Amino acid sequence: MLRALILLITPFALFASEPSAFGAGNLESDTPYGLTASEKSILKNKEKLNSIQRSTRAHEGEVQSLRERLDGLQTIVEGMNEKSHKNRVELNKFIDSYRSEELERDDLARVVQANEENIVKLQTVLTEFSKMIDTINANYVSKEEYNALVKDVNAFKSEVSKALKSVGSSKSAAGSSSPFKGMSKAQVAKKAREYYDKEYYTKAIEHYEYLIEQNYKPARAYYMIGEMWYYRKSYEKAISYFKESAKRYDKASYMPTLLLHTAVSMDKTGDKENARAFYNALIAKYPDTTMAAEAQKRVGKL
């Protein structure tokens, strides 16, 4: 009895989490899937920009470290200058004393030793500066290279913007063209269904896209377009439209078919884990439907 109760509860839990499984086309997801060609291109450039930003932050940290080291070296150099000045004063005193025959031999040795120590410190400073210059040359992107990279990124953004504007203009032109002129939204929906039934999918998609723009029963329009992409075997596109349909209205009469075709699409694109979740959700939510029976057969083959 307990085993039966657990088996009954588990599928409903899977279905309860079903809306989150519609991750296709989500560029903010950690593991996005179901992306269109444009979304893949944008994701690739987004990853490239993130990599550049991480590299830039790392370089900024290294530059700050070098600045701190330079400050320390400057302090050393200033101290050496001060000592050098003192040595010159002492040397002048030595000369004066030597001329007056008042300087002893140990005073001369002390001055010579101090000068030798200063020479060693100067050599150390020069070595440190040389190492820092080598590090900068080896690890840092030049200003020219960085500017060129920024220019390329901005050019890509500009091209994407132009493409989006072009798509928007095309849609606007379609909205004002003759196919829908003088037609009510209900008439457009009826015509779209007629094209769908005749498998004139290009025309049907055009009509359903118009209905989405007009916000006329968008959940059904998204579902119908998803169906057409499903039958055309464009499974990634189908998933994205099914996702939008379910987000807008998940109690529609066509939900069993939507869940089944979503699961099949995920199965076809290699997303076996989510496909299994959708099959089980369909079986649990609509157990007496032919779609649930089909889901039972398919989930057993995963």
Side-chain angles (χ1 to χ4, degrees), residues 44-58:
K44 182 177 179 181
N45 282 276
K46 180 179 176 183
E47 292 172 348
K48 182 178 179 181
L49 285 173
N50 288 338
S51 176
I52 293 169
Q53 290 174 348
R54 288 193 297 271
S55 177
T56 300
R57 286 195 293 270

Side-chain angles (χ1 to χ4, degrees), residues 169-192:
S169 299
S170 298
K171 287 186 176 181
S172 298
S176 61
S177 61
S178 58
F180 313 116
K181 188 175 181 179
M183 296 176 65
S184 68
K185 296 173 185 176
Q187 289 173 327
V188 174
K190 181 180 178 181
K191 197 68 177 176

Side-chain angles (χ1 to χ4, degrees), residues 38-91:
S38 296
E39 289 172 337
K40 289 178 180 178
S41 177
I42 292 173
L43 178 60
K44 182 177 179 181
N45 282 276
K46 180 179 176 183
E47 292 172 348
K48 182 178 179 181
L49 285 173
N50 288 338
S51 176
I52 293 169
Q53 290 174 348
R54 288 193 297 271
S55 177
T56 300
R57 286 195 293 270
H59 289 167
E60 287 175 352
E62 293 180 11
V63 168
Q64 182 60 31
S65 176
L66 287 173
R67 286 174 179 169
E68 292 174 358
R69 294 178 65 186
L70 283 171
D71 290 341
L73 289 171
Q74 185 176 1
T75 301
I76 293 173
V77 171
E78 289 174 353
M80 292 173 62
N81 286 336
E82 183 179 352
K83 289 183 178 180
S84 178
H85 176 70
K86 290 180 179 179
N87 286 336
R88 285 197 296 270
V89 173
E90 290 186 12
L91 184 59

Side-chain angles (χ1 to χ4, degrees), residues 82-98 103 106-115 118:
E82 183 179 352
K83 289 183 178 180
S84 178
H85 176 70
K86 290 180 179 179
N87 286 336
R88 285 197 296 270
V89 173
E90 290 186 12
L91 184 59
N92 290 333
K93 289 181 180 179
F94 165 75
I95 293 172
D96 293 340
S97 298
Y98 180 78
L103 184 68
D106 57 344
D107 292 329
L108 178 60
R110 178 173 55 81
V111 172
V112 171
Q113 182 179 358
N115 284 332
N118 284 337

